[in-house]
């Protein structure tokens, strides 16, 4: 089953700002290219290459942001927990998951692995139980629990 990554409002605003900046950069460099083609002053090869790269960069950045928005999710299937964030992905064996803890006070879901590493699952809180049930369906040995403790070690060095 697939669970979409939940972006905060700050990230959504950041993505909109990146899109607007990409549009502005592309438009500005397209105007530069049109002006240089109609100008009587000859531009060397380096000038055309730099303008072409300046036209390409906003497109590439927009592709990365779009990939993040479209394909950021958690998938549990075939004994694997697949975490995708844009064009990057990680795979974890569900057999390596020791427990899942839902903090009802801070609305955080954390997956704890047998090697004592953790993974914070960033999905909508209404899907916490569905996510946990899907993981437990793949591995019956996973313990699921809830807590209401606030993590006081946040930001402290161990």
């Amino acid at each position: 089953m697939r669970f979409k990554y939940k972006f905060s409002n700050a990230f959504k605003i950041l993505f909109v700002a990146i899109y607007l900046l990409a549009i502005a950069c592309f438009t500005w460099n397209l105007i530069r290219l049109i002006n240089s083609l109609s100008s009587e002053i000859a531009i060397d090869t380096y000038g055309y290459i730099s303008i072409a790269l300046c036209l390409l960069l906003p497109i590439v950045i927009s592709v990365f942001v779009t990939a993040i928005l479209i394909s950021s999710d958690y998938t549990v299937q075939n004994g694997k927990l697949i975490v995708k964030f844009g064009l990057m992905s990680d795979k974890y064996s569900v057999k390596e998951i020791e427990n899942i803890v839902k903090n009802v006070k801070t609305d955080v879901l954390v997956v704890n692995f047998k090697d004592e590493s953790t993974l914070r699952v960033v999905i909508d809180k209404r899907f916490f139980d569905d996510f946990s049930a899907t993981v437990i369906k793949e591995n019956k040995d996973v313990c699921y629990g809830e807590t209401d403790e606030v993590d006081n070690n946040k930001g402290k060095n161990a």
Side-chain angles (χ1 to χ4, degrees):
M1 189 166 187
R2 184 176 177 211
F3 301 92
K4 286 293 285 176
Y5 193 93
K6 181 184 177 196
F7 292 103
S8 67
N9 288 335
F11 268 108
K12 291 175 185 175
I13 292 169
L14 179 65
F15 291 151
V16 168
I18 289 171
Y19 278 127
L20 292 174
L21 185 61
I23 290 168
C25 289
F26 184 83
T27 304
W28 173 258
N29 287 299
L30 188 61
I31 291 169
R32 281 182 50 210
L33 178 64
I34 292 168
N35 287 339
S36 67
L37 290 174
S38 64
S39 174
E40 294 177 7
I41 301 172
I43 293 182
D44 60 349
T45 307
Y46 174 75
Y48 286 117
I49 291 173
S50 67
I51 292 174
L53 289 175
C54 288
L55 286 170
L56 186 63
L57 185 61
I59 294 169
V60 170
I61 290 174
S62 297
V63 167
F64 279 115
V65 170
T66 303
I68 289 170
L69 289 171
I70 291 174
S71 66
S72 294
D73 59 43
Y74 301 86
T75 306
V76 180
Q77 65 183 12
N78 301 327
K80 297 281 185 198
L81 170 60
I82 303 165
V83 181
K84 290 192 281 185
F85 190 77
L87 301 175
M88 301 178 293
S89 82
D90 285 324
K91 293 181 181 178
Y92 303 95
S93 174
V94 174
K95 291 180 182 179
E96 294 299 314
I97 297 175
E98 190 172 78
N99 61 42
I100 301 172
V101 179
K102 176 172 80 170
N103 190 320
V104 294
K105 192 170 268 185
T106 59
D107 290 327
V108 173
L109 188 66
V110 177
V111 174
N112 296 305
F113 294 93
K114 291 179 181 175
D115 65 354
E116 297 183 11
S117 62
T118 61
L119 173 69
R120 183 175 177 201
V121 179
V122 185
I123 58 176
D124 195 323
K125 64 183 176 183
R126 62 189 166 141
F127 297 119
F128 283 0
D129 293 334
D130 295 337
F131 175 84
S132 302
T134 305
V135 171
I136 292 170
K137 185 177 175 184
E138 290 281 330
N139 181 2
K140 305 285 187 218
D141 297 331
V142 173
C143 297
Y144 176 67
E146 292 182 354
T147 185
D148 62 354
E149 296 178 6
V150 177
D151 186 10
N152 293 327
N153 295 325
K154 209 179 229 184
K156 294 183 181 178
N157 292 333

